[in-house]
Amino acid sequence: MVSDEGGCLPPITRRLHLVPRWDYDSVMRIIAISTLRDYWLKHPDAERALRAWIGEVQAAQWTNPADIKACFGNASILSGRRVVFNIKGNDYRLVVAVAYVFGAVYVKFVGTHAEYDAIKARAVVHKPIKEQKP
């Protein structure tokens, strides 16, 4: 759940955006949202949960793994800046790498729980959905 008090949402401020947002705001940017979109086009039942995850992450201000755990208590923090999220009640798994300094979340893998069990989450590299084998 997201809350305004000590949760994932940044404080509401009014700023004139003369420079790119990532230069002074610490909201998270997701790299490879298209991978998530391609996935939910093939797995429509995952769309709502993935869109919800995207919304929460884009509104978050993560500076360390504890910030992620505060927003997503069931997320697994791995070495190498990797984080595993349970999506749609653990039907799907999402592996990302987080660059806290840059405020970026890099999608590395999205798949079913069974597909996740077949990979090494600490080492998996991003492959667009079109290149993944069924």
Side-chain angles (χ1 to χ4, degrees), residues 8-117:
C8 301
L9 295 179
I12 297 171
T13 59
R14 291 185 169 263
R15 294 186 182 150
L16 182 60
H17 294 285
L18 299 175
V19 295
R21 290 181 69 154
W22 56 86
D23 284 349
Y24 57 85
D25 279 347
S26 58
V27 294
M28 304 306 289
R29 291 174 292 128
I30 301 170
I31 309 301
I33 286 180
S34 62
T35 299
L36 300 178
R37 185 188 63 243
D38 291 345
Y39 192 80
W40 77 55
L41 290 174
K42 291 185 177 194
H43 302 272
D45 62 316
E47 179 177 3
R48 182 180 225 168
L50 287 170
R51 283 183 181 270
W53 180 87
I54 290 168
E56 288 192 39
V57 172
Q58 288 179 329
Q61 294 178 315
W62 295 338
T63 58
N64 57 55
D67 292 342
I68 295 173
K69 290 295 275 185
C71 294
F72 297 95
N74 62 357
S76 299
I77 308 297
L78 307 178
S79 61
R81 302 176 300 123
R82 298 291 174 108
V83 182
V84 179
F85 294 94
N86 297 320
I87 303 294
K88 194 178 176 268
N90 212 17
D91 288 349
Y92 300 98
R93 291 281 179 99
L94 175 60
V95 179
V96 302
V98 181
Y100 299 101
V101 173
F102 300 112
V105 176
Y106 301 88
V107 174
K108 297 296 184 180
F109 169 85
V110 60
T112 65
H113 200 283
E115 291 168 335
Y116 170 82
D117 289 341

